[in-house]
């Protein structure tokens, strides 16, 4: 059997799961989660088969295509349902289905007491299908289907606990902000269509040389807008923090490991376009750099463990976007960081979920403390994830983040220096806020108290189905980076797709690594001084102006609220008024004046036969008179 | 002469209307089943039409032609192109669902001073509308088209005015007053449009000497019928005005929210998903074919009006407090897209617009009918009266969400395909217009999700706590529609293949070619 | 005798009938005045027939008489049923046909 025929099965398996679970009704309640997990695992196994098959081939013919059917055949417009599996997409496939399967497994325990667990697994499978479609599509329109599909799954899962108004609002917000980004993607596709006459990857990316830089810049900027929406980059980042309303496995899978990195995939996949548009690339790096700091600052101020991690996710994706904006120097590292981040951030989130599981769903880190004694497995796996993300030497994050900082310097010129310094600064803040999370949660005195109803939390280790995925992800967090970096394995693997350029760094690799270590130590020390050395107040102190702003997502939400929400409300309300009074008023006014006239005219119809007779006589007389008059003339 | 298939397709529901009306008053249920039977039989005939139609054959097929009013050259001429077939199929498909959804809408009220609701009349009127709509899609004689275009108003008037939504916040008298206001508004708007069109129809006869669409279009194409520029423009405006009222295009739209709000949900679907389509269909068939030059002349203004419709309709939908009015404004926004696609004059735009007509019919039917089920359970149309329905009636909420997602054109569901085609087609010729129209997709997400959030999520309101989930009959209405949305979203090829040749003809009528992509143009 | 004089008479009768229709309230009288007008017309027709020397006018007069007879039948029936239901023979009481 030809292996390319397997590609569709990758998407079909979880899609089937979603259909069965969502339409199956209550009788599947008892087995639904196993069906969902099994089908996710099927996808992973197929992914592995395809991967090993690919390893057996030469670098040049590793790319597989599968054409299923012609989707929208219209004059001059050809959209197909066709898949493309190359080194880049298979990397994603393994990450998505692998981490996805683990998180399915974790959810079996985490969602055990939820009566709508079957539906939860249905949504998770739907997400997997859409995400796999996104990375397997061989054209931008089909990618767009996956792109919105993951948005839908994200919407459903953030709002999974719909009875909570905050969850419903967060879900809606996520979808809307994403739609703004989607607008960018659809305009980009339209631009490709008018420029190249097609929007399939191969012909578009091969033809970039034949068009003007202006067009490429426009397409690039629109793709960037799309990436900003999906990957929670400034200025469309506001939804990610709120998205933490969803169940924690969702935060781990969708809002940390996979979906939010789709923007990075989009930019790397469209590398040829950005290579031809330096201005767009600059915009990408600026967005990445700004978000990197933005997310890190927000992460420092949040007391909600999941929101602190969400800030961190934003910041780490900022790194990836920054790397992707560097062009061929950075594409490989963007993807490498994406994969390692997928491991450790998913692990961190699952750890956070495990902590919440044991703490009656308490999310305020100030009410944790000293949990390492109660949850040893969680502590160790979370700790390894922590070391990985701050870039502790030898762990995954060290290899991938270091490379990005190096690449930023290698961009050259003033830009290179600025971007490199920002990335370094980000590394320091990362060390600071992650150490803060670690200290607040697992070290120090226990700070939890009985809640209003007198239920004191009894922290305990989570069941096996939850800890096993955490352990496996911790393995990834520790070893993935090193494994990829030995002999630049990952780089050679991806090179045929993304190409690679070493750039010329003004600083040697050793200098950069040294600098990274220095800022790391500074960050950790600062955090220890603040949170490790002295007891932590249960109620957050008022804090500086910056802290207070950072708690409110640097006032972005306030801005949105005042300008967009309030402004929008006023606009729609006044439009409703205008529609009623002006547009409808004109018509009703005409109707009223006609009505008034006829009201007066109808007075003539008084019902008396005699008066009708008079008018008949009068009319007859006038007619006769007129006839006579005409004759006389 | 072969079997007059098109006449039969239009006549069958007409016969059904008479038969249903003739059922004795006591045998209400029999009348319902009879109506359902006739609507299904019509659907079967429509399928036969679709199968017999050869997309690669002549432009108009299954034609029939008989002399009718000889003195004025009026002929009974029928014929369908791909667009007509698609819309006939849509109409025939939706009517059984409308009948099934409105199964109890015309039952007599048992409580208090009940107005007697003539059940038979309700279903007979629906079938009558179906017959007239179908023949409007088939007529290739301008006068014949005009007659049914106008006659449709009569049964629609009674359906809106006589069978209102029982869910009403005000008193009975108040409800009845608003209902008759809506019905009269509907009638007056459309009559004024029709009157102006009648003048244009007569004008066309004076200029061309007959009413045959094909003959006139041919004569226009080969130059044997010259119209003065101003004459052509005036005639175009006369036709377009009537279609713009029916479609409805901003600022002639205000009758639609009233009519859809006051009518029962199935009738609201009948208005927006079936009857209004005649307006956009006629723009494609009559405006572009008979007056190509004038159409091009008017394009800039029409595009702007369509854009205003898209954005304005969506913004007003956001501001609505009444579920059905919200759907009505959303429809106005969608009709903006359809008209945009027609007048962008690209293959993608016009194929997209035709597809949009079909998809909008199905998606609005799904959303509106579920909304109707919801409203009938709680007895209120106000969004604020709901909350937390998802918890008590998950299937209802789920289908409502899918209907909503179709309305916001989620990829994978049918409306996405058409909306994207319209956008691409518009963008190819008028980039700025295309970009502004794209804002519509964000606004669509806003009004749909706000509606879903306010009605379905959050804490369960006490008034909805005992709300039953969808019944079998209701599920039988919604499930096929949703299945169709998915099938046509994943595999729209059968419809596009039907439509493409017709679009090619229209494009050659207006003598427009698709803009070439830059890369090709440079070579 | 000059036939024109008959025309004057017909005009006079017609005027009397018309005035009666307009000013009288009793439905019977109004009805009789209508008859008077019809007969005035008949007279005019016959006079014209004489004046022009052909029979057309006379034929029409016969038609008018037949129609008048039919009208009497229907009209009286209406009046009787009106009187039965309203106990009044005044035309002003039957003024319901208005908006």
């Amino acid at each position: 059997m030809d292996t390319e025929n397997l590609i569709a099965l990758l998407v079909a398996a979880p899609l089937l799961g979603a259909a069965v679970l969502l339409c199956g009704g209550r009788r599947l309640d008892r087995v639904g989660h196993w069906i969902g997990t099994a089908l996710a695992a099927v996808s992973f196994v197929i992914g592995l088969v395809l991967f090993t098959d690919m390893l057996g081939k030469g670098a040049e013919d590793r790319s597989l295509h599968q054409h299923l059917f012609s989707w929208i055949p219209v004059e001059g417009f050809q959209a197909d349902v066709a898949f493309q599996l190359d080194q880049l997409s298979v990397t994603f496939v393994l990450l998505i289905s692998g981490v996805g399967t683990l998180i399915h497994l974790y959810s079996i325990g985490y969602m055990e007491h939820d009566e709508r667990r079957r539906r939860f697994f249905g949504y998770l499978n739907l997400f997997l299908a859409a995400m796999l479609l996104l990375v397997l599509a061989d054209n931008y329109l089909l990618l767009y289907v996956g792109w919105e599909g993951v948005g839908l799954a994200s919407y459903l899962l953030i709002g999974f606990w719909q009875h909570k108004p905050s969850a419903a609002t967060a879900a809606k917000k996520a979808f809307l902000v994403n739609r703004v980004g989607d607008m960018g993607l659809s305009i980009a596709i339209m631009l490709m269509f008018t420029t190249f006459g097609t929007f399939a990857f191969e012909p578009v990316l091969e033809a970039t040389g034949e068009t003007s830089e202006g067009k490429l810049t426009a397409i690039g900027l629109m793709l960037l807008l799309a990436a900003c929406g999906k990957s929670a980059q400034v200025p469309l980042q506001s939804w990610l923090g709120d998205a933490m309303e969803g169940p924690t496995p969702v935060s781990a899978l969708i809002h940390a490991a996979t979906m939010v990195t789709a923007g990075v995939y989009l930019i790397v996949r469209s590398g040829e376009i950005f290579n031809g548009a330096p201005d767009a690339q600059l915009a990408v790096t600026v967005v990445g750099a700004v978000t990197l700091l933005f997310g890190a600052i927000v992460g420092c101020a949040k007391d909600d463990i999941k929101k602190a991690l969400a800030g961190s996710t934003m910041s780490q994706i900022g790194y990836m976007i920054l790397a992707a904006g560097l062009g061929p120097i950075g594409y490989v590292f963007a993807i490498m960081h994406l994969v390692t981040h997928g491991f450790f951030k998913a692990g961190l989130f699952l750890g956070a979920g495990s902590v919440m599981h044991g703490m009656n769903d308490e999310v305020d880190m100030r009410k944790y403390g000293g949990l390492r004694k109660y949850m040893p497995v969680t502590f160790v796996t979370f700790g390894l994830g922590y070391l990985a993300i701050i870039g502790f030497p030898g762990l995954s994050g060290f290899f991938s983040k270091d490379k990005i900082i190096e690449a930023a310097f290698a961009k050259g010129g003033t830009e290179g220096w600025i971007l490199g310094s920002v990335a370094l600064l980000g590394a320091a803040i990362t060390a600071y806020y992650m150490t803060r999370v670690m200290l607040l949660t697992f070290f120090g005195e226990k700070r939890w108290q009985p809640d209003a109803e007198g239920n004191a939390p009894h922290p305990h280790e989570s069941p096996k189905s939850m800890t096993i995925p955490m352990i496996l992800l911790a393995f990834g967090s520790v070893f993935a980076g090193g494994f990829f970096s030995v002999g630049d394995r990952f780089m050679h693997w991806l090179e045929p797709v993304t190409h690679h350029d070493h750039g010329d760094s003004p600083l040697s690799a050793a200098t950069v690594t040294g600098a990274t270590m220095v800022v790391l130590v500074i960050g950790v020390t600062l955090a220890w001084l603040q949170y490790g050395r002295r007891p932590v107040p249960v109620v957050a102190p008022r804090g500086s102006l910056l802290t207070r702003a950072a708690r409110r997502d640097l006032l972005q939400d306030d801005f949105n609220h005042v300008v967009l929400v309030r402004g929008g409300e006023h606009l729609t309300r006044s439009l409703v008024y205008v529609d009623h009074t002006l547009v409808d008023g004109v018509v009703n006014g005409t109707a009223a004046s006609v009505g008034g006239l006829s009201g007066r005219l109808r007075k003539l119809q008084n019902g008396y036969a005699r008066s009708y007779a008079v008018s008949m006589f009068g009319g007859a007389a006038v007619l006769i008179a007129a006839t006579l008059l005409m004759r006389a003339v | 002469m072969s079997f007059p298939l098109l006449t039969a397709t239009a006549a069958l529901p007409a016969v059904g209307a008479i038969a249903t009306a003739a059922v004795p008053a006591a045998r209400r249920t029999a009348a319902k089943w009879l109506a359902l039977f006739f609507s299904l039989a019509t659907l079967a005939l429509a399928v036969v039409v679709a199968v017999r139609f050869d997309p690669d054959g002549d432009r108009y097929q299954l034609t029939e032609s008989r002399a009718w009013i000889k003195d004025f050259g009026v002929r009974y001429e029928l014929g369908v192109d791909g667009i007509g077939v698609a819309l006939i199929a849509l109409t025939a498909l939706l009517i059984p669902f409308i009948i099934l959804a409105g199964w109890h809408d015309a039952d007599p009220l048992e409580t208090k001073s009940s107005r007697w609701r003539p059940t038979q009349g309700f279903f007979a009127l629906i079938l009558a509308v179906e017959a007239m709509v179908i023949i409007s899609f088939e007529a290739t004689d301008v006068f014949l088209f005009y007659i049914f275009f106008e006659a449709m108003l009569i049964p629609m008037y009674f359906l809106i005015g006589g069978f209102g939504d029982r869910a009403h916040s005000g008193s009975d008298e108040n409800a009845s007053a608003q209902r008759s206001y809506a019905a009269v508004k509907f009638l007056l708007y459309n009559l004024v449009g029709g009157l102006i069109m009648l003048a244009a129809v007569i004008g066309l006869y004076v200029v061309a000497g007959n009413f045959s669409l094909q003959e006139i279009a041919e004569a226009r194409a080969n130059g044997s019928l010259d119209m003065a520029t101003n004459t052509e423009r005036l005639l175009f405006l006369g036709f377009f005005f009537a279609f713009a009222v029916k479609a409805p295009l901003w600022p002639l739209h205000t009758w639609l929210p009233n009519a859809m709000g006051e009518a029962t949900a199935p009738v609201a679907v009948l208005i927006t998903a079936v009857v209004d389509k005649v307006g956009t269909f006629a723009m494609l068939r009559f405006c572009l074919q008979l007056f190509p030059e004038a159409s091009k002349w008017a394009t800039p203004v029409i595009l702007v009006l369509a854009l205003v419709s898209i954005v304005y309709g969506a913004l007003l939908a956001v501001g609505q407090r009444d579920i059905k009015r919200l759907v009505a404004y959303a429809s106005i926004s969608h009709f903006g897209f359809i008209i945009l696609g027609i007048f962008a004059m690209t293959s993608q735009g016009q194929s997209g617009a035709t597809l949009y007509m079909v998809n909008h019919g199905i998606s609005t039917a799904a959303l509106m009918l579920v909304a109707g089920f919801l409203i009938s359970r709680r007895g209120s149309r106000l969004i604020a009266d709901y909350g937390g329905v998802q918890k008590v009636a998950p299937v209802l909420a789920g289908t409502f969400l899918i209907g909503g997602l179709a309305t916001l054109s989620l990829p994978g569901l049918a409306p996405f395909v058409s909306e994207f085609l319209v956008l691409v087609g518009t963008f190819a010729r008028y980039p700025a217009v295309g970009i502004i129209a794209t804002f519509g997709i964000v606004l669509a997400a806003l009004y749909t999700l706000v509606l879903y959030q306010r009605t379905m999520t959050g804490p369960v309101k006490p008034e909805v706590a005992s709300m039953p989930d969808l019944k079998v009959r209701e599920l039988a209405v919604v499930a096929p529609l949703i299945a169709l949305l998915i099938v046509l979203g994943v595999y729209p090829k059968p419809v596009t293949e039907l439509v493409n040749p017709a679009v090619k003809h229209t494009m050659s009528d207006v003598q427009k070619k698709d803009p070439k992509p830059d890369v090709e143009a440079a070579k | 005798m000059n036939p024109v004089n008959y025309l004057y008479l017909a005009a006079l009768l017609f005027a009397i009938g018309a005035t009666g229709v307009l000013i009288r309230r009793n439905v019977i009288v109004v009805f009789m005045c209508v008859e008077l007008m019809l007969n005035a017309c008949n007279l005019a027709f016959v006079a014209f027939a004489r004046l022009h020397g052909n029979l057309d006018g006379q034929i029409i007069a016969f038609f008018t008489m037949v129609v008048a007879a039919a009208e009497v039948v229907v009209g009286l029936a209406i009046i009787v049923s009106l009187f039965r239901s309203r106990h009044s023979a005044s035309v002003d009481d039957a003024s319901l046909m208005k908006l």
Side-chain angles (χ1 to χ4, degrees), chain A residues 26 69-77 81 115-116 119 123 141 144-146 148-149 152 155-156 160 162-165 168-172 175-176 179-180 182-187 189-199 207 210-211 215 568-569 571-573 575-580 583-584 587-588 591, chain B residues 181 185 188-189 250-251 253-255 257-258 312 315-316 318-320 325 329 347-348 351 355 390-391 394 401 405 408-412 416-417 420-421 423-424 427-428 434-435 438-439 441-442 444-446 449-450 452-453 456-459 489-493 496-497 500 504 514 516-520 522-523:
Chain A
R26 301 243 149 125
F69 55 89
S70 169
W71 181 25
I72 314 177
V74 167
E75 187 72 23
F77 180 97
V81 175
E115 55 174 351
R116 291 161 71 232
R119 190 176 300 209
Y123 293 159
L141 197 64
Y144 187 62
V145 176
E148 288 243 318
L152 169 69
Y155 168 79
L156 293 169
F160 186 70
Q162 289 183 326
H163 52 275
K164 287 202 298 189
T169 309
K172 182 188 69 187
F175 197 95
L176 281 178
R179 265 261 153 154
V180 177
D182 297 349
M183 215 178 96
L185 185 52
S186 58
I187 293 177
I189 298 175
M190 292 190 249
L191 269 168
M192 286 175 203
F193 179 71
T194 54
T195 312
F196 305 108
T198 173
F199 35 74
E210 294 167 34
T211 186
K215 285 265 180 182
E569 274 173 3
L571 179 67
T572 54
R573 232 178 271 153
L575 271 182
V576 170
Y577 181 76
V578 166
D579 196 54
H580 193 70
V583 183
D584 217 13
V587 179
N588 283 348
Chain B
Y181 171 74
K185 199 171 179 181
L188 283 183
Y189 259 93
W250 188 89
H253 64 276
T254 53
W255 64 269
N258 286 86
Y312 185 91
L315 282 174
L316 263 108
V318 177
Q320 292 305 311
R325 289 179 66 94
Y329 277 107
S347 307
Q348 300 89 37
S351 294
L355 216 55
Q390 200 277 334
K391 191 103 178 161
L401 181 63
L405 292 174
L408 64 78
S409 300
L410 189 87
F416 167 73
V417 176
F420 197 80
L421 280 175
L423 286 175
V424 160
F427 186 86
I435 288 175
T438 314
F439 279 97
I441 70 168
V442 178
L446 184 62
L449 295 184
V450 167
Y452 183 79
Q453 186 192 358
M456 299 297 172
T457 69
V490 177
Y491 197 67
K493 204 171 160 191
T496 55
E497 275 182 352
N500 284 344
K504 216 181 249 178
D514 287 334
K516 278 227 159 41
D518 293 359
V519 175
E520 255 175 70
K523 273 175 192 167

Side-chain angles (χ1 to χ4, degrees), chain A residues 75-97:
Chain A
E75 187 72 23
F77 180 97
Q78 192 62 42
D80 293 332
V81 175
F83 299 123
Q84 171 183 358
L85 188 83
D86 56 11
Q87 290 91 327
L88 182 61
S89 32
V90 87
T91 310
F92 271 89
V93 165
L94 290 178
L95 175 74
I96 295 160
S97 57

